[in-house]
Each structure stands twice: as structure tokens, then as C-alpha cells.
Amino acid sequence: MGHAETMGLTAGQAVREFGADDDTDDAIRDDIRLVTGRELLDDASEEAADAVLWWWREGDGDLTSELRYEAGPLAENGSIWVLTPRQGKPGHVPAPEMAELAVDAGLRVRAVTPLGGWTGHHLYRP
């Protein structure tokens, strides 16, 4: 099973991406494009996304505020995937800390999943 399938993504879905940088995993991004058949939406897009892919590292800023105000339009039942570097890598965010940040943003953690060199925190709006 590929990364996109692990994330529950399917053909035709729109995925908005934030936080892409030199350290992001192109294999994850490419797999999402392959499965959805679409390019990733950027933060300027006004299209409602079925999912948000957020690359986040410790020290990137105030994640709670970003999740609350910057995720952009999200389709009903849409989900947010916050990807943080895996344990032992610079910028790692422990799962309990991510759960607390999610709750502060009005979200909940559905699952924590390894995705390549990253840890995927699957968030949803209750």
C-alpha cells in the first residue's frame, strides 16, 4: 500500500499542501499526485480541499493558530495530515504534544502513522 492509500486518499480528491521545503519527502507528494490524479493545491487556492497535507517541524511557529486559521476551505468530512519528522530527527514533534496542539485547535487525532521518514498525524474536525 502506498502513502496516499495509507492516508485514505482516492482518485479525484483535492489535497492542499503547506510547509513544503527542501526536507519534504517527494515520494509522498508524488504518490498523492499519482493516486488523486491531481496536482497539490497551494495555500492560495480557494478550492475546498478533501485533505490538507501539512509538513511541520518543531520550531515552525504556532501550529495551533495555523491549524485554526490557515488550513483554508476544507470539504465536509475532510481531514488534515500533519507530517512531522520521525523520532530522532531534527524537528520531531512527539505524538502527545501533537494531540494537545490538535485539541487546542478544535481538532482530534484519528491516527498516527509512519510515512517514509515522517510521522503522519491524521487530524479531523469532531
Side-chain angles (χ1 to χ4, degrees), residues 38-72:
R38 298 186 57 165
E39 288 298 316
L40 298 169
L41 303 174
D42 64 21
D43 58 355
S45 174
E46 294 184 20
E47 181 179 349
D50 298 294
V52 170
L53 172 65
W54 211 312
W55 305 94
W56 192 265
R57 302 136 199 100
E58 184 69 45
D60 276 357
D62 181 358
L63 181 59
T64 298
S65 178
E66 295 283 331
L67 288 170
R68 190 177 292 143
Y69 301 113
E70 303 298 329

Side-chain angles (χ1 to χ4, degrees), residues 23-109:
D23 63 345
T24 54
D25 188 333
D26 286 334
I28 295 171
R29 298 171 85 227
D30 291 343
D31 191 57
I32 290 170
R33 287 186 195 103
L34 179 67
V35 168
T36 64
R38 298 186 57 165
E39 288 298 316
L40 298 169
L41 303 174
D42 64 21
D43 58 355
S45 174
E46 294 184 20
E47 181 179 349
D50 298 294
V52 170
L53 172 65
W54 211 312
W55 305 94
W56 192 265
R57 302 136 199 100
E58 184 69 45
D60 276 357
D62 181 358
L63 181 59
T64 298
S65 178
E66 295 283 331
L67 288 170
R68 190 177 292 143
Y69 301 113
E70 303 298 329
L74 189 63
E76 188 174 332
N77 298 323
S79 60
I80 298 172
W81 281 88
V82 178
L83 275 61
T84 62
R86 289 186 93 176
Q87 187 172 358
K89 293 190 175 189
H92 171 71
V93 179
E97 183 178 333
M98 182 60 67
E100 185 177 320
L101 293 168
V103 168
D104 290 347
L107 303 168
R108 299 290 181 270
V109 176

